[in-house]
Amino acid sequence: MAEPLRAVRLRGCGSPQKFGVAAGSLRGLLRKGCRLLQLPLPGSRLCLYEDGTEVTESYFRALPPQTELVLLGPGETWRGCASDIEGFLAAFYNQRDAVVEAARKLLTDEQAPRRQRLLADLIHNLNENSLAEDKEDDKKWFKGLESRFKNKSSYMRYSCESRIRSYMKEVSSFISNVHPTARDAYKRIIDLMSDKLRSVKYNGCYFDRREEEAVRLCTAEGWFSCQGPFDRDDCPCKHSINPYGNRESRILFSTWNLDHIIEKKRAVVPELAEAVKTRDGREVNWEYFYQLLFTVDNLKLVHIACHKKTNHNLSCDKTKIYRKRKQNHKIS
């Protein structure tokens, strides 16, 4: 009695094109597949697309309908869908358009929700226009922004400046909590910090890929990497984003945080107020507090999921709160 026909989806190694093939046995499927894909029958074999498991005769008889298989010729290997990813990555820079087209063809027939999402995300990311800088070259990126922004870096600088300005506003508003006898001194420090921030344009260069200083937070191409929670040296999830690529990435990047390692509200600002109150003739080292509040010496760029809202339990360095007095040495 002849075996019932089993329908599968067949593709060659490294090819996105799929063919519907039906056969009653593994041997019969191999023969049809080799004729279709013009491969020699000796040495050819079939494996599961998903994980590379080689198909045996008994395994073939238990396959669900429309299982996706890869036909391998002599010497070819398949390590599952990871092989597709490797192929995409290898072709990324030189054949981006071809990769997009291949992913679109795969997406047309793809049924698994997770693989659909991966392919859709891949197409979205490869269609980025991150190298474009001016509004005329990427009008979609500027949708929803004020007309005064003519290039991407100008908006990114503005975004960073706005964050830093908000920190300065918090420091200024804390003056109501400062002891009345120390408020004038606290106000003078605020003025010094404000002057310094204005002189460096509120550190907007941190997010400007065209500025040399920006290398501490991003690459020249505009990629930003999550620097991890305050108690780690790196991000466990390897978050990265290029807000210069497309409008969606720009909007998503606005949810990333600049996280103060030594916390601004719980530690730095209260310590500054206390230092001014108890200075007792000593000079407060306001530049140390400036570094903690406004620079990457104490700021980490983190994905919103890596921003820990709990107490960091870190404090300012007591040895840096006041400036050291110069020693006068007598010559005998």
Side-chain angles (χ1 to χ4, degrees):
M1 182 177 178
E3 291 285 344
L5 296 178
R6 295 186 179 278
V8 300
R9 289 184 295 165
L10 189 65
R11 55 181 285 185
C13 181
S15 171
Q17 190 172 10
K18 303 173 188 178
F19 301 91
V21 181
S25 66
L26 178 63
R27 184 71 180 173
L29 181 60
L30 271 171
R31 282 199 299 268
K32 287 185 177 181
C34 287
R35 284 199 301 270
L36 184 64
L37 300 180
Q38 297 182 348
L39 291 174
L41 182 61
S44 293
R45 61 198 190 284
L46 290 162
C47 67
L48 295 181
Y49 166 80
E50 186 173 351
D51 60 11
T53 300
E54 188 165 343
V55 179
T56 62
E57 190 67 57
S58 59
Y59 197 174
F60 172 76
R61 288 194 292 270
L63 287 178
Q66 301 302 320
T67 296
E68 187 171 343
L69 302 179
V70 178
L71 177 60
L72 301 176
E76 292 182 329
T77 59
W78 185 257
R79 299 194 301 109
C81 54
S83 295
D84 266 346
I85 297 174
E86 289 177 350
F88 287 153
L89 292 176
F92 181 85
Y93 286 105
N94 296 324
Q95 302 181 45
R96 188 176 70 172
D97 293 341
V99 172
V100 170
E101 185 60 29
R104 282 184 175 142
K105 288 181 180 178
L106 287 172
L107 188 59
T108 301
D109 297 328
E110 187 53 67
Q111 300 299 318
R114 288 185 178 179
R115 296 218 300 253
Q116 285 179 337
R117 177 63 185 273
L118 283 171
L119 289 168
D121 285 349
L122 178 67
I123 293 170
H124 170 78
N125 289 329
L126 290 184
N127 279 324
E128 288 183 340
N129 194 8
S130 60
L131 295 180
E133 172 66 15
D134 296 329
K135 188 173 184 176
E136 291 301 315
D137 297 325
D138 193 356
K139 292 182 179 179
K140 290 182 180 179
W141 193 93
F142 292 85
K143 186 178 180 181
L145 300 182
E146 297 177 36
S147 58
R148 63 190 173 102
F149 297 113
K150 303 302 181 184
N151 56 63
K152 294 179 180 179
S153 290
S154 66
Y155 174 77
M156 294 301 291
R157 283 198 305 273
Y158 166 79
S159 178
C160 181
E161 289 170 14
S162 298
R163 299 191 195 199
I164 299 299
R165 285 176 189 271
S166 70
Y167 300 159
M168 187 71 249
K169 187 175 181 180
E170 288 182 55
V171 178
S172 300
S173 63
F174 195 81
I175 196 168
S176 60
N177 299 305
V178 178
H179 193 275
T181 61
R183 286 178 183 173
D184 287 343
Y186 187 87
K187 177 64 167 58
R188 286 194 293 272
I189 287 177
I190 289 176
D191 291 341
L192 288 169
M193 288 183 174
S194 296
D195 289 343
K196 186 173 179 66
L197 281 174
R198 280 193 292 268
S199 71
V200 295
K201 300 179 181 179
Y202 290 87
N203 293 325
C205 63
Y206 289 158
F207 289 171
D208 187 345
R209 58 178 171 179
R210 298 183 304 176
E211 298 281 350
E212 289 185 9
E213 295 89 340
V215 74
R216 298 188 67 179
L217 281 181
C218 72
T219 66
E221 290 78 19
W223 280 97
F224 292 83
S225 296
C226 175
Q227 295 170 318
F230 75 93
D231 55 352
R232 294 181 61 98
D233 293 327
D234 56 1
C235 168
C237 299
K238 306 301 180 187
H239 295 119
S240 63
I241 192 171
N242 187 345
Y244 292 88
N246 52 49
R247 178 172 179 265
E248 291 76 12
S249 294
R250 167 177 65 76
I251 294 172
L252 181 60
F253 185 65
S254 68
T255 67
W256 284 43
N257 298 127
L258 278 174
D259 187 18
H260 286 85
I261 303 170
I262 302 176
E263 295 170 282
K264 174 177 79 272
K265 291 182 178 179
R266 291 191 177 106
V268 182
V269 178
E271 187 69 64
L272 173 59
E274 182 65 21
V276 174
K277 174 187 172 184
T278 60
R279 66 190 186 281
D280 191 26
R282 293 172 292 181
E283 183 182 359
V284 176
N285 185 8
W286 66 269
E287 289 182 318
Y288 169 63
F289 289 99
Y290 174 93
Q291 289 176 337
L292 295 182
L293 290 167
F294 307 116
T295 76
V296 290
D297 289 350
N298 190 49
L299 284 169
K300 273 192 171 186
L301 182 64
V302 294
H303 186 282
I304 188 171
C306 293
H307 189 193
K308 293 190 176 182
K309 300 291 186 179
T310 55
N311 196 325
H312 292 187
N313 294 314
L314 297 173
S315 58
C316 301
D317 186 341
K318 299 294 185 182
T319 67
K320 296 181 179 179
I321 290 176
Y322 298 103
R323 294 188 188 278
K324 294 181 179 180
R325 292 175 177 172
K326 293 182 180 180
Q327 299 287 336
N328 292 323
H329 299 283
K330 293 183 179 179
I331 300 176
S332 58

